[in-house]
Amino acid sequence: MSELIIREATPVDAAAICAIYNPYIEYTTISFEEKPVSVADMAERIASTQAQGLPWLVAEAEDGELFGYAYASRWRARPAYRHSVEASIYLRQATVGQGLGKLLYRELLQRLTALGLRTVIGGVAQPNPASDALHRALGFKQVANFEQVGRKFGRWLDVAYWQLSLTAI
């Protein structure tokens, strides 16, 4: 992999982000969405996240190819939750296990810390050993395992929740 640039996403990135994300929808249980996301819908998701003052980052090669993205969304709508976010990260499947996830997630965590946020939560559909290992390596602690809360491809699926206090990093 060539030199990487981690930067804020723009609406122009929506097609490349869909190319990374939609295979997770179509072929895995990692995402609980069931229909591919259109480029227009992805552009709206990026804009909505950024309009809330939250980061949506992409990892880009020098040649402009996107290898992954990470973003934060509000954990819950009620005001008392305003210091907590849920983080999501998706990588081009061919790059999983090469250290890109740590680089991208660390940058996201640094930006969330700079925003004064306190807690980051990661929900991981099970089984997903790579994502579990990533969260563990970054200092997250597994705080819950909700059993059979999702159904996709005719299977009931669990979701593990990981939590990181930004005051600890």
Side-chain angles (χ1 to χ4, degrees), residues 2 6 10 14 32 34 46 49 76 92-93 99 127 143 151 154 163 166:
S2 62
I6 297 176
T10 70
F32 279 11
E34 295 179 330
I46 294 166
T49 295
R76 300 278 173 129
R92 190 171 297 282
Q93 291 178 355
V143 294
R151 187 164 175 82
Q163 181 176 346
L166 293 175

Side-chain angles (χ1 to χ4, degrees), residues 26-98:
E26 295 177 279
Y27 306 113
T28 78
T29 57
I30 290 172
S31 169
F32 279 11
E33 292 198 64
E34 295 179 330
K35 294 181 181 176
V37 177
S38 72
V39 172
D41 285 345
M42 188 61 75
E44 174 55 35
R45 290 179 186 192
I46 294 166
S48 175
T49 295
Q50 292 171 333
Q52 294 176 51
L54 295 171
W56 187 307
L57 306 177
V58 294
E60 178 181 47
E62 289 175 326
D63 65 4
E65 182 181 3
L66 293 191
F67 289 110
Y69 67 96
Y71 66 94
S73 54
R74 295 288 171 202
W75 170 240
R76 300 278 173 129
R78 291 193 173 95
Y81 290 113
R82 69 186 166 276
H83 303 286
S84 300
V85 293
E86 183 170 6
S88 296
I89 182 168
Y90 287 90
L91 304 176
R92 190 171 297 282
Q93 291 178 355
T95 66
V96 172
Q98 298 179 22

Side-chain angles (χ1 to χ4, degrees), residues 125-136:
Q126 297 296 304
N128 190 337
S131 189
D132 290 341
L134 175 62
H135 284 88
R136 192 176 295 109

